[in-house]
Amino acid sequence: MLIASALLAAACHSARESADAGDTSAPATKSVVADKPFVAAGTITMELDGGLYVIRAAADNHIRVALTGNTGNATTDLTAGDAAATVQVKDTPRNFHATIEVPPVADLVVHFKGGELVMEPITGNKDVQSYGGEIKIGRRRRQRHRRA
């Protein structure tokens, strides 16, 4: 158990170090860097380097990636097919932030290297794997109906 904890701590540290490498640039702001239509109820696989990510439901059936904060040399690749899509965010510097909008109904597979991941309520299956960091997955609140 102690060895497993040490290995996990080392993985978290190395993931954050890779995100911190090359943090000599001044904070920059980018807007939406990727936007593609995508079918509702499809599967979206995400490969995310370290940083702060917010994944939320879009108002329409599109996948959008917006980079903010210190974007440095971060790159984004978005591919969308008939029922499957892939989002990759690589080479993220320290203080990197991104917002990813997906259709309100989608199955999500997320591979997250570290930092903070906030997933707002999205209907569908979720498979989240992380090397370290904080993960917050929201749930829809049930609406209560009052009788008049």
Side-chain angles (χ1 to χ4, degrees):
M1 183 80 144
L2 184 60
I3 293 171
S5 296
L7 290 174
L8 179 61
C12 292
H13 181 70
S14 66
R16 188 67 251 166
E17 278 184 355
S18 71
D20 291 348
D23 185 30
T24 59
S25 62
T29 301
K30 291 184 184 178
S31 57
V32 174
V33 294
D35 183 347
K36 290 195 178 185
F38 187 65
V39 57
T43 299
I44 303 168
T45 301
M46 300 182 196
E47 300 285 339
L48 308 175
D49 272 3
L52 167 63
Y53 293 88
V54 175
I55 301 173
R56 65 180 178 207
D60 54 12
N61 287 335
H62 275 244
I63 300 173
R64 287 184 192 85
V65 181
L67 308 181
T68 59
N70 182 9
T71 59
N73 295 322
T75 60
T76 301
D77 185 34
L78 170 59
T79 59
D82 291 338
T86 303
V87 176
Q88 292 182 329
V89 180
K90 298 179 186 177
D91 300 324
T92 58
R94 172 177 270 185
N95 296 323
F96 174 80
H97 302 196
T99 300
I100 303 171
E101 293 183 345
V102 299
V105 177
D107 292 336
L108 303 177
V109 178
V110 181
H111 301 122
F112 176 57
K113 287 196 177 173
E116 185 175 351
L117 175 68
V118 177
M119 189 179 300
E120 294 180 1
I122 296 165
T123 301
N125 297 314
K126 295 160 188 74
D127 178 1
V128 180
Q129 299 173 8
S130 173
Y131 291 107
E134 186 174 350
I135 298 173
K136 299 175 185 173
I137 300 176
R139 297 186 330 188
R140 293 197 190 280
R141 296 182 189 265
R142 290 186 179 170
Q143 293 181 350
R144 294 184 181 190
H145 298 283
R146 293 189 342 190
R147 293 183 186 182

